[in-house]
Amino acid sequence: MNQYLLDVLKDVENKHAGQPEFVQTVQEVFKSVEPLVDIHPEYEKADILGRMVEPERMFTFRVVWMDDNGKYHTNRGWRCQFNGALGPYKGGLRFQKNVNESIIKFLGFEQVYKNALTGLPIGGGKGGSDFDPAGKSDAEILRFCQSYMTALYRYIGPDVDVPAGDMGVGKREIGYLFGQYRRLKGVWENGVLTGKGLSYGGSLIRPEATGYGAVYYLQEVLKHEGDTIEGKRIGVSGFGNVAWGIMKKAAQLGAKVTYVSGPDGYFYDPDGVITNEKLAFIEWMRANDPMHCKPYADKYGVKFVPGTKFWGTADVDVYMPSAIQNDVTLKWAEKILDSGVRYYIEVANMPTTNEALELLRSSKKLIVAPSKAVNAGGVGVSALEMSQNSERLVWSAEEVDSQLHRMMINIHDTSAKTAEEFGLGYDLVSGANIAGFQKVATAMLEQGIF
Ligand code: GLU
């Protein structure tokens, strides 16, 4: 391995031994970009790799909020402003009880290259809290969001850092966060957050963007293979916002999501989650019972298998892990490989462990597409929301959707072309990592040392 790359990697492994998710993503990206680092000795001189693994700025803050019984609670908040070479830091906020510094940093690191791939002027950042939204009343969520923004508002802004949603943060939370920002600053700066409601600067298609973008990307992969999306059966893990967007777009294009898993097990609907009624029920489950997908099976009289995942056993054409990091471990990857499925399209951020990913990629038996390319449509449309806010105009759904579609075609083609240029064949993982990395590295080099 390239000695410089190895040294930086060793350093990260030693320094951050207690941050397994962060170390995992650095290992994954660094492994891919080795051929790029080999032909760019100036990276070492400018210590580009050393800079890439060190956030420009990262901070924690106390978030105190009062529950409905008048009792106080203290949570920890984070914001990681990882890399601003391409634009204002951009990335979501995750509210989930197991969030920690490692998870925020891994998400921030991924975000840097993902955002670069969109071709839009956005740097990479991420934030969140170990606050658990499960079972909280609306008033409790409001008070938490207000406290969170009170601690954060000085450090963000439309040209500084633009948070958005992630797990546990949707339109409601963004609304409460924005209301508090506006109250504290006394200015109209709606470009400070994305994923807003439509009445105050949100973009049409933003809720659907990640899922739609993932399906557009899948279409390009299929095209490359001389295949089409019509009739394809898809298995997704998760039934959150991203999975819902996949179900909707797949249905529009004549494909169908037939397997869906949740924390409690999975269901199999041979007709697919394709009708408006079923899609609305998925939305209802997400809002009201996010730990269980069994209610769908009960309501529509389809098969439910408790306590397990369907990887490798589902009779589908495409797998799209869309739930959470490290969902697919080596044991599941072995089953996926044995099943003979042709397409493994990552959607959630880092849904595959490194050893599982290595197994799937090296087998050459199936096409693996990486999440940082596949799910980039979400943040891509966030950047379009920022554009609309800057020009104080609202674009039509058709306009946003067609820009999203072009963006996803471009991300796929850039990744494929980059891999080809490096003699790697149709390697979408390396292609995406190299293309994203190179763009950020070039901007850093041209901006000098700081
Ligand atoms: N949380 C999303 C992601 O992982 C979206 C971020 C954004 O829109 O800024 O890319």
Side-chain angles (χ1 to χ4, degrees):
M1 218 174 175
N2 180 291
Q3 194 54 46
Y4 169 51
L5 200 142
L6 206 59
D7 291 345
V8 178
L9 195 54
K10 279 256 144 57
D11 194 46
V12 169
E13 287 163 357
N14 290 334
K15 245 197 230 161
H16 305 292
Q19 299 185 346
E21 292 86 0
F22 177 58
V23 172
Q24 181 182 339
T25 184
V26 174
Q27 286 168 334
E28 195 269 319
V29 170
F30 274 22
K31 217 171 147 198
S32 294
V33 298
E34 187 173 14
L36 179 73
V37 177
D38 278 342
I39 58 168
H40 285 284
E42 73 276 22
Y43 284 6
E44 180 170 1
K45 188 157 167 257
D47 195 26
I48 289 295
L49 296 180
R51 285 199 252 168
M52 288 286 196
V53 296
E54 195 61 47
E56 286 182 19
R57 191 175 302 104
M58 177 159 184
F59 44 92
T60 68
F61 42 93
R62 182 173 66 198
V63 187
V64 184
W65 56 281
M66 191 192 280
D67 70 19
D68 290 342
N69 299 316
K71 185 175 173 347
Y72 284 82
H73 298 267
T74 306
N75 282 96
R76 181 172 287 185
W78 286 269
R79 188 69 185 165
C80 174
Q81 300 178 333
F82 217 118
N83 195 313
L86 299 183
Y89 308 107
K90 181 82 198 88
L93 299 173
R94 181 174 287 194
F95 292 172
Q96 205 180 42
K97 69 168 183 275
N98 65 356
V99 160
N100 55 39
E101 190 174 324
S102 173
I103 290 177
I104 297 292
K105 275 172 70 183
F106 119 65
L107 290 166
F109 188 78
E110 288 272 302
Q111 200 83 43
V112 172
Y113 310 106
K114 177 198 309 197
N115 293 4
L117 286 169
T118 66
L120 296 165
I122 39 178
K126 202 84 190 189
S129 174
D130 58 2
F131 171 73
D132 181 8
K136 301 292 186 297
S137 72
D138 194 56
E140 289 170 337
I141 299 282
L142 171 68
R143 287 193 291 272
F144 178 79
C145 288
Q146 291 184 333
S147 287
Y148 190 90
M149 186 51 86
T150 302
L152 187 63
Y153 82 99
R154 285 187 187 83
Y155 311 104
I156 59 175
D159 296 316
V160 180
D161 181 358
V162 182
D166 197 86
M167 295 169 106
V169 179
K171 194 178 95 179
R172 174 181 60 166
E173 289 74 17
I174 292 295
Y176 292 159
L177 290 163
F178 178 65
Q180 184 71 354
Y181 180 85
R182 194 168 69 78
R183 183 149 79 150
L184 291 166
K185 292 275 304 246
V187 290
W188 182 257
E189 288 180 347
N190 62 350
V192 68
L193 289 163
T194 61
K196 298 181 292 291
L198 293 178
S199 61
Y200 61 99
S203 177
L204 288 161
I205 306 294
R206 178 62 191 89
E208 293 88 350
T210 313
Y212 277 22
V215 177
Y216 290 145
Y217 187 101
L218 167 65
Q219 259 187 312
E220 296 312 300
V221 172
L222 293 165
K223 215 182 281 170
H224 182 271
E225 297 304 290
D227 205 343
T228 59
I229 190 133
E230 283 86 34
K232 287 283 174 296
R233 299 157 308 157
I234 304 170
V236 302
S237 56
F239 53 91
N241 172 262
V242 175
W244 166 79
I246 293 173
M247 294 166 188
K248 211 168 151 182
K249 184 49 81 179
Q252 285 170 15
L253 297 175
K256 56 185 180 183
V257 171
T258 50
Y259 280 81
V260 177
S261 66
D264 57 335
Y266 68 84
F267 70 75
Y268 169 50
D269 180 352
D271 296 332
V273 188
I274 52 174
T275 61
N276 286 342
E277 192 208 325
K278 286 176 176 177
L279 286 162
F281 191 66
I282 293 283
E283 272 190 288
W284 181 88
M285 288 201 310
R286 172 179 91 214
N288 295 287
D289 192 5
M291 297 306 282
H292 301 97
C293 66
K294 186 170 178 291
Y296 182 101
D298 294 341
K299 185 169 167 74
Y300 294 105
V302 299
K303 181 169 143 185
F304 175 75
V305 181
T308 186
K309 306 184 185 194
F310 58 68
W311 306 123
T313 52
D315 182 22
V316 291
D317 307 296
V318 185
Y319 278 127
M320 298 181 88
S322 312
I324 196 164
Q325 66 269 8
N326 294 330
D327 186 5
V328 177
T329 54
L330 190 59
K331 141 183 137 176
W332 294 113
E334 282 162 356
K335 287 192 202 298
I336 288 172
L337 212 52
D338 289 345
S339 75
V341 75
R342 284 276 297 137
Y343 305 104
Y344 180 79
I345 311 292
E346 290 190 334
V347 190
N349 291 312
M350 202 169 76
T352 321
T353 65
N354 279 355
E355 41 181 7
L357 189 63
E358 185 55 39
L359 178 77
L360 295 174
R361 290 180 63 193
S362 62
S363 76
K364 308 251 186 261
K365 284 193 191 145
L366 74 181
I367 290 170
V368 178
S371 57
K372 68 169 76 61
V374 178
N375 75 27
V379 74
V381 172
S382 275
L384 301 181
E385 183 172 329
M386 291 162 69
S387 302
Q388 294 171 71
N389 297 157
S390 290
E391 59 177 20
R392 302 200 176 183
L393 290 174
V394 176
W395 302 351
S396 67
E398 292 72 31
E399 172 65 23
V400 178
D401 196 20
S402 78
Q403 288 213 31
L404 168 65
H405 197 169
R406 274 203 303 277
M407 194 188 310
M408 298 314 299
I409 293 174
N410 191 40
I411 292 173
H412 168 272
D413 292 355
T414 304
S415 307
K417 195 170 124 243
T418 305
E420 205 61 62
E421 275 165 18
F422 280 84
L424 300 165
Y426 189 53
D427 178 348
L428 295 169
V429 177
S430 294
N433 282 335
I434 294 173
F437 192 96
Q438 184 163 24
K439 183 163 186 195
V440 181
T442 302
M444 290 167 81
L445 283 169
E446 290 180 3
Q447 291 172 32
I449 308 279
F450 63 91

